[in-house]
Amino acid sequence: MDVNIKERVAAFLAEHDPDGDRLEFLRARFDAGLAWVWYPEGLGGLGAPRELQSVVERELAGTPQLNAGVQAIGLGMAAPTILAFGTEEQKRRFLRPLWTGEELWCQLFSEPGAGSDLATLATRAVRDGDEWVVDGQKVWTSGAHHARWAILVARTDPDVPKHRGLTYFVCDMHAPGVEVRPLRQITGEAEFNEVFLTGVRLPDDLRLGEVGDGWRVAQTTLMNERVAIGGAPVGRGGGMVGVVLDAWRAQPELRTHDLHQRLLSLWVESEVTRLSGVRLREQLAAGHPGPEGSGMKLSFAKLNQELSGFEVEFARDLGYDDDWTFRRSEGVDFYGRGRGYRYLRAKGNSIEGGTSEILRNIISERVLGLPSEPRVDKDVPWKDLPR
C-alpha cells in the first residue's frame, strides 16, 4: 500500500502543478483522496490506513500546505465530528472547503457559567418548525472573528438531567443575531472572543446527531481536541524545546551548571512526551481517540509552561522586546514572537481544550479505573440545578 500511495502522489503531481494556483491545488488534492487518506473515498480520503498519511505528507513536502494556525479547529475538531455524526449531505457540503481553508471554523462550547462543567451550559435552542431559535452567550471562542461556521452545543430540553438535554449544531457565523466581541489576553492579543447569539435561526439540517444526543457528539469533539493540542506530530528537538535549545546554543555565556541540569531534565521529559505522542497516533490509526489523549494534553501544557519559564530565566539579563499592544490575532501560535509572549501564552495551555484539573479526573477515572467523584447533580433536571 505504501508503494501505491507513492504512485498515486506521483501521478497527482504529474497532473497538478504545485507552483500554480494554491487553492486549486488544494482542491485537487482533496478530490484525489490525498487530504486525509483514512477518510472515505469522495470525502478527501482513500479509505486507507491512517499511518499512510505520513507518506503522503513526505511526498508532498514543498507543495502548498494548510494553515494550521487558523484551520486547527476545523481540521482537528469539526471534521472528525462531522465524519462521525454528519449526514452524507453534510459531509459533502462541509469537509472539502473546511480542509482547503476556504471556510474557517470555531467552537461554541464554553460559557461564562459553564467551563469545566460544560454540561451545565445554558444557551437554549428552541424548535420552531423546521428551524431552531438559539439564544445565549459563548466565551473563549478562538478565531470566531475569522470563522464562517461554528460547532455549537445548546440546550434543547431543560426538563431532563444536564447531560441528556443537549443537542449539537453547526452554526452559521454570518447569520443574523450572531455578534462577536474580542477578549484581550495577557499577551495583548485577542485570539479569543465572546459570542452572543440572539434569536439566531438555524435550519434543522444543520443539526449533527439526534436531538438530545449532543453530549455524546461533543465527546467526540473534545477527545479529538485534546489529541490535536497535545498529540500533534513534533520532530525530535521540535516545538517549545527547540526554541529553548536555540537560545541555549546562541548564548553560551548565560549558561550555568544548575540551568544545564534543568535543561537536560526538560529534554528527557520532552522526548518522553514526543514518543508518547507517536504511540498515541499509532493507537488512533487503529480506531477512535480515547481518554489517553487527555494525558497528552496534560503533559503538553505542563511541559510548555516549564520550558517557557526556563527560557525567561535563562535570558533574564537580556530584557524583552515584545509588543504588548492590543491586536486581533490572525491565528493561534504557541511558539511565535518573543520569549515574553511565549511565557505568557503558555499559561493558557492548562486551561484551553480542557483544564488540567478536569483532565486529571478523566485520567484517574477512565484510564486508571479509580472511583469517580460523587456527583449529586447527575440525575437532577437541569432546570432545578442551582445557578
Side-chain angles (χ1 to χ4, degrees):
M1 191 64 177
D2 193 327
V3 175
N4 291 340
I5 287 288
K6 290 183 178 181
E7 291 175 353
R8 278 181 176 268
V9 174
F12 171 76
L13 289 175
E15 295 182 11
H16 302 281
D17 182 7
D19 295 324
D21 183 84
R22 176 183 179 275
L23 181 56
E24 289 303 319
F25 182 87
L26 292 175
R27 286 172 175 168
R29 177 177 167 180
F30 184 94
D31 294 339
L34 299 174
W36 29 43
V37 296
W38 69 97
Y39 274 44
E41 291 188 34
L43 298 176
L46 300 170
R50 185 174 182 140
E51 59 264 26
L52 292 179
Q53 185 67 30
S54 61
V55 178
V56 173
E57 299 303 335
R58 285 197 302 270
E59 296 298 308
L60 290 176
T63 68
Q65 300 294 311
L66 307 182
N67 185 345
V70 295
Q71 291 181 251
I73 292 175
L75 296 169
M77 292 170 247
T81 307
I82 293 170
L83 182 66
F85 292 97
T87 64
E88 289 305 312
E89 182 180 351
Q90 288 170 336
K91 295 173 189 177
R92 296 189 182 280
R93 163 62 186 87
F94 292 121
L95 290 178
R96 187 177 189 251
L98 179 158
W99 189 84
T100 61
E102 295 171 78
E103 294 179 345
L104 302 179
W105 289 68
C106 65
Q107 179 187 19
L108 299 176
F109 277 32
S110 296
E111 299 181 5
S116 295
D117 190 4
L118 179 62
T120 60
L121 64 86
T123 293
R124 289 294 312 278
V126 178
R127 189 82 180 245
D128 183 16
D130 292 332
E131 294 183 317
W132 295 84
V133 182
V134 183
D135 290 276
Q137 180 187 355
K138 298 293 183 176
V139 75
W140 311 123
T141 308
S142 300
H145 50 298
H146 297 309
R148 176 65 181 85
W149 300 99
I151 42 179
L152 163 71
V153 182
R155 187 163 303 282
T156 51
D157 188 351
D159 298 321
V160 297
K162 59 184 183 181
H163 292 90
R164 302 212 309 259
L166 303 174
T167 303
Y168 198 114
F169 299 91
V170 171
C171 179
D172 182 355
M173 291 297 289
H174 292 176
V178 177
E179 180 186 0
V180 178
R181 300 179 187 174
L183 284 175
R184 184 173 182 175
Q185 298 153 236
I186 194 172
T187 60
E189 281 190 333
E191 71 184 64
F192 297 112
N193 303 270
E194 51 184 347
V195 179
F196 295 86
L197 306 166
T198 307
V200 178
R201 288 188 168 270
L202 301 177
D204 188 55
D205 61 12
L206 289 181
R207 172 171 48 84
L208 277 183
E210 298 299 322
V211 175
D213 200 28
W215 185 251
R216 185 167 72 97
V217 181
Q219 290 308 298
T220 296
T221 304
L222 293 172
M223 286 189 292
N224 278 283
E225 177 182 28
R226 288 154 192 164
V227 172
I229 294 176
V234 177
R236 190 169 188 264
M240 187 70 82
V241 74
V243 175
V244 172
L245 289 173
D246 287 343
W248 181 266
R249 296 182 184 113
Q251 305 289 340
E253 71 279 5
L254 300 178
R255 301 174 189 171
T256 67
H257 173 75
D258 288 343
L259 286 173
H260 190 208
Q261 296 304 305
R262 283 176 54 193
L263 181 58
L264 290 173
S265 177
L266 289 169
W267 166 262
V268 171
E269 188 172 346
S270 297
E271 275 297 281
V272 169
T273 300
R274 183 183 70 84
L275 294 172
S276 297
V278 172
R279 183 174 60 182
L280 176 63
R281 290 190 295 278
E282 290 175 350
Q283 292 173 344
L284 286 179
H288 297 289
E292 295 84 0
S294 297
M296 284 302 306
K297 164 61 172 58
L298 181 65
S299 178
F300 168 84
K302 176 176 178 291
L303 188 58
N304 257 17
Q305 290 172 356
E306 290 180 351
L307 283 165
S308 61
F310 177 92
E311 183 187 17
V312 166
E313 183 176 350
F314 173 68
R316 61 188 180 276
D317 295 332
L318 300 180
Y320 302 96
D321 55 2
D322 296 89
D323 179 6
W324 309 113
T325 56
F326 174 76
R327 71 181 74 185
R328 264 306 204 181
S329 172
E330 293 303 314
V332 178
D333 184 359
F334 293 142
Y335 313 122
R337 291 168 46 186
R339 57 185 170 276
Y341 169 88
R342 287 189 286 273
Y343 175 76
L344 294 177
R345 182 60 184 82
K347 299 302 179 186
N349 294 162
S350 54
I351 303 173
E352 57 201 344
T355 66
S356 292
E357 292 76 13
I358 292 296
L359 297 182
R360 289 188 179 96
N361 278 352
I362 293 173
I363 293 167
S364 65
E365 295 174 15
R366 302 184 196 175
V367 178
L368 301 178
L370 299 178
S372 61
E373 290 187 342
R375 293 179 173 87
V376 297
D377 62 352
K378 186 176 181 181
D379 299 315
V380 179
W382 176 84
K383 66 180 182 179
D384 297 329
L385 294 177
R387 284 185 295 281

